[in-house]
Amino acid sequence: MRKTTVIKGKWTTRTGFILAAIGSAIGLGSIWRFPYIVYENGGGAFLIPYFFALFVIGIPMMIMEVGVGSTTGSTAPLAVKKLVKKGEFLGWWASINAFIILTYYIVILGWTFSYFGYSFTMAWGGRPDLFFGHFLNGYYPLIATLVAWAINYIIVCAGVENGLERMNKFFVPALWAIVIMMIIGCLRLDGAYYGLIWYLKPDFSSLLSPKIWISAFGQVFFSLSLVIGTMITYASYQPKNSDVAKNSSVIAFVSGLFSFVVGFAIFSALGQMSVVSGIPISNLIQEGTTLAFITFPAVLNIMPVSILFSMLFFLILIFAGLTSSVSLLETATGPIIEKFNISRKKTVSVLTIVGCLISLPFALDAGNIELIDKIVSTYGLPLLGFAEVIVFGWIYGADKLRTYINSVSDFKIGRSWTWLIKIFIPIVLGYVILGDILKRPVLAIVITIVLLIVLAFINARRSV
Ligand code: PHE
């Protein structure tokens, strides 16, 4: 019998890849999560750790992941295996993590579909909090979740070129266009000034709190789609010898900037709300995660042309959420197609059915979302990130990777990149993970440094 090989997906153009990667990165994390993390960390104080994390962790790790994807031409599990024989499980662990994130991410995406519908009549009325509670107790979240799964199914089934690339070519420019319209509208509000001061004015004293740094690192991982194999998988669909350093820096920078820019619209509007209601900004939001579904509808009520603003706000959440959810589904799909040579349609069908079942408890009880998000994002991502820099940086070798990256890139990365990947990022992540478990930050740093010294020692003996 003739054995057929399932053809791997490919981007048709360089821009196709860059837009898809930006589409994956910009997501609910940038619009729904970023403002509430800024909010929880006291406003302007958060921006310094955020940009620091973007430059010293986000960009270098993006370069590493895109480098791994392009040098191996394989999705995450096989890519790790090609570089480090026994490392395949790490790639699967990442892909499974992506799939689990997808199962609750898609539920929130479903809420945004419903709320887009509600925005035509501003159905939440004067009490968005009661409305949201009511909404969660009804059947709509369930139906919306199934619709969101169906849309993801159709796009990922259509393949890399016809599904993912086509969609991102339209959605990513649209995202920027909508956010610019929102900013222009929001900056004209009377209270915008107060909101912006709260957002932008740095508070250096809070930089001493470790929590603010941990939140910034977690946010950068989540919102750049790092660590769970997405960027490796997307990069593997490029032609051989594609540029790494420049493309990755553009992807990370443009996506990181997007969150910052969205903040201008959100905080101007919160400033207006504060002026109208007389409540200080720091007391406006009771619970972070509800910002998009309770606080913002309340803000939208007092905006001029409020129906238009409501539609734009939920539309931008839908566009951003969809381009990310399809990338999560692709992160789970790509490796199965590659390893087991199963057709795309079969793979996506099975994943969709299993995913729908896992999403059910989240759609029926939103309380479960926070719990799972803590496990797989707050703890899972730093842990995977740590394993990743050890495997690529130490066991395979950051220098080998750097040689490859420089051989294909327009601009060259220096030795400092190797230092960041091998020393700085593992120490920071070791501190974040162990510091939280042991509750002793100094001990956490000491243990991480000892671990690195042991690794350096093993490495030195291996290369003798
Ligand atoms: N980056 C996406 C967001 O900010 C979420 C995501 C994480 C997507 C990891 C893919 C991989 O919403």
Side-chain angles (χ1 to χ4, degrees), residues 117-361:
Y118 294 142
S119 53
F120 286 82
T121 52
M122 316 235 355
W124 46 80
R127 289 296 303 267
D129 50 343
L130 296 183
F131 185 84
F132 188 55
H134 223 74
F135 165 73
L136 289 183
N137 287 328
Y139 281 106
Y140 283 136
L142 191 63
I143 298 168
T145 302
L146 296 179
V147 172
W149 266 111
I151 297 176
N152 274 272
Y153 170 83
I154 293 169
I155 296 167
V156 177
C157 256
V160 174
E161 180 188 338
N162 288 329
L164 302 174
E165 184 167 342
R166 252 206 221 161
M167 158 195 210
N168 281 293
K169 262 188 190 157
F170 169 69
F171 276 22
V172 172
L175 273 173
W176 276 96
I178 299 176
V179 85
I180 289 170
M181 285 197 278
M182 283 176 61
I183 290 175
I184 295 175
C186 291
L187 284 182
R188 294 162 57 140
L189 299 169
D190 297 334
Y193 174 76
Y194 301 101
L196 289 182
I197 291 213
W198 201 78
Y199 178 44
L200 298 173
K201 191 167 161 227
D203 164 12
F204 293 102
S205 65
S206 55
L207 295 181
L208 294 174
S209 131
K211 186 180 158 271
I212 204 168
W213 293 94
I214 295 170
S215 306
F217 299 137
Q219 176 60 20
V220 162
F221 278 147
F222 188 84
S223 78
L224 291 188
S225 306
L226 288 170
V227 155
I228 53 171
T230 304
M231 290 299 168
I232 298 182
T233 298
Y234 266 22
S236 77
Y237 300 154
Q238 295 181 98
K240 269 245 156 294
N241 297 329
S242 303
D243 176 278
V244 173
K246 192 169 72 189
N247 289 355
S248 333
S249 309
V250 169
I251 294 166
F253 185 71
V254 172
S255 313
L257 191 68
F258 187 87
S259 302
F260 176 61
V261 166
V262 168
F264 280 79
I266 307 262
F267 286 96
S268 306
L270 288 177
Q272 172 75 356
M273 172 93 172
S274 163
V275 168
V276 172
S277 64
I279 303 171
I281 296 189
S282 45
N283 295 346
L284 273 181
I285 306 174
Q286 287 132 20
E287 202 194 328
T289 45
T290 58
L291 183 118
F293 301 98
I294 295 180
T295 314
F296 226 77
V299 174
L300 289 163
N301 283 343
I302 55 156
M303 298 279 265
V305 278
S306 46
I307 293 187
L308 179 71
F309 264 109
S310 306
M311 284 163 58
L312 285 182
F313 179 67
F314 288 105
L315 195 63
I316 200 174
L317 280 170
I318 290 177
F319 282 9
L322 260 181
T323 48
S324 300
S325 63
V326 292
S327 77
L328 287 163
L329 185 53
E330 182 64 31
T331 310
T333 304
I336 299 179
I337 299 180
E338 194 175 65
K339 170 109 182 169
F340 302 105
N341 206 28
I342 304 175
S343 79
R344 176 169 280 273
K345 192 156 179 212
K346 255 192 213 150
T347 311
V348 185
S349 305
V350 172
L351 286 176
T352 303
I353 292 169
V354 175
C356 277
L357 292 176
I358 304 180
S359 292
L360 282 183

